[in-house]
């Protein structure tokens, strides 16, 4: 993994709820990437933003942090003068829904049922408390399994992935443009953060990706939750890593090894290239172990907070 791939997760790590007051968003530049067809990708700080443009208006997927909304709006205005009509959230974490309060004043927010529930109630992510969201930040249209937005000649489809990164994940298909926004069920910075406290599961992420891969055209453009534009082959390699690392941890656990023994014996040494400053090998071993033992951690090291 190249060092550049770690820049985004390192930034949103420190631009979380805990550190937001000290974050200097004025230095963030919004990068605009033409993906394919009518779809663009915006990269600033936090999760990648998908933008579908056309005569009917704009559909936005995720909206990073609230202080970046003026820059997000300016970037969209540089593409089209049409209004943002819909916002689709891929999950509830603050680096993907942080702009909802302002963006939602003039747009309709769509998300899975559990996204609204978690935003409305607030909660904890790796020991950090998230306050209930403002009314204008909440999704006003929610869905259980799928939802469709028919705009700009695109039959945009949101597909729920049960218990992957969280329990409210959605992957967004733009079939005419041949683009898929994966949310945080696929990232490029290495081992993924699986939010067990928010109903996430490594097993669920694997199952979700196995369900998705056959539905993705071989030449589709993939927008990851974090990182550069990717391909179906990248998603397949990520899925294989998840399957292999999970199998390695389960094999060691079947021999009666404790979590500390798994870490000491470096059971994920063969996948060292996936270890990074955001989720390292020990943290991912712990995630898989907790998932396998149905243990939901609380109050963990706040330096791994994702909001």
């Amino acid at each position: 993994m190249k060092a550049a791939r770690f820049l985004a997760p390192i930034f949103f790590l420190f631009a979380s709820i805990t550190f937001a007051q000290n974050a200097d968003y004025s230095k963030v530049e919004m990068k605009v990437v033409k993906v394919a067809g009518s779809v663009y990708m915006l990269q600033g700080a936090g999760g990648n933003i998908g933008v579908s443009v056309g005569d009917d208006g704009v559909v936005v997927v995720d909206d990073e942090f609230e202080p970046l909304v003026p820059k997000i709006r300016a970037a969209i205005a540089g593409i089209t003068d049409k209004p943002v009509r819909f916002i689709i959230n891929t999950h509830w974490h603050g680096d993907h829904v942080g702009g909802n309060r302002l963006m939602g004043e003039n747009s309709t927010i769509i998300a899975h049922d559990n996204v609204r529930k978690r935003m409305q109630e607030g909660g904890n992510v790796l020991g950090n408390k998230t306050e209930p969201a403002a009314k204008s930040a909440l999704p006003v249209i929610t869905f259980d399994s799928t939802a469709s937005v028919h705009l700009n000649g695109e039959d945009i489809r949101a597909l729920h992935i049960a218990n992957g990164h969280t329990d409210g994940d959605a992957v967004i298909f733009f079939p005419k443009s041949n683009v898929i926004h994966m949310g945080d069920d696929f990232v490029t910075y290495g081992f993924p953060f699986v939010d067990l406290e928010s109903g996430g599961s490594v097993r669920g992420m694997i199952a979700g990706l196995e369900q998705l891969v056959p539905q993705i055209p071989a030449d589709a453009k993939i927008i990851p939750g974090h990182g550069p534009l990717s391909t179906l082959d990248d998603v397949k390699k990520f899925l294989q890593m998840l399957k292999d690392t999970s199998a390695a941890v389960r094999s060691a656990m079947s021999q009666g090894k404790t979590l500390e023994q798994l870490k000491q014996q470096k059971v994920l040494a063969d996948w060292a290239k996936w270890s990074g400053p955001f989720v390292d090998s020990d943290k991912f071993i712990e995630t898989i172990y907790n998932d396998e033992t149905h243990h939901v951690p609380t109050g963990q090291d706040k330096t791994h907070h994702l909001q």
Side-chain angles (χ1 to χ4, degrees), residues 86-133:
F86 297 96
I87 297 165
I88 306 175
N89 293 147
T90 62
H91 61 286
W92 84 292
H93 288 151
D95 62 310
H96 292 258
V97 305
N100 274 19
R101 187 181 71 84
L102 296 181
M103 297 289 285
E105 291 175 349
N106 301 300
S107 307
T108 300
I109 303 174
I110 304 169
H112 185 262
D113 296 334
N114 289 337
V115 173
R116 179 181 171 89
K117 179 180 178 181
R118 290 190 178 278
M119 291 182 68
Q120 194 169 33
E121 296 178 354
N124 291 282
V125 181
L126 291 176
N128 289 302
K129 183 175 177 58
T130 300
E131 297 296 334

Side-chain angles (χ1 to χ4, degrees), residues 261-280:
Q261 288 174 325
L262 297 180
K263 293 179 181 180
Q264 291 170 4
Q265 294 176 11
K266 301 185 183 303
V267 297
L268 296 188
D270 289 345
W271 298 272
K273 70 177 183 178
W274 296 85
S275 182
F278 183 50
V279 181
D280 60 20

Side-chain angles (χ1 to χ4, degrees), residues 166-203:
T166 71
D167 61 7
D169 298 351
V171 170
I172 316 302
F173 286 77
F174 301 90
K176 184 177 179 181
S177 296
N178 200 22
V179 175
I180 297 95
H181 192 308
M182 298 287 293
D184 280 5
D185 284 291
F186 168 64
V187 294
T188 68
Y189 55 72
F191 292 133
F193 167 52
V194 179
D195 188 357
L196 303 182
E197 288 183 83
S198 295
S201 165
V202 181
R203 280 182 176 265

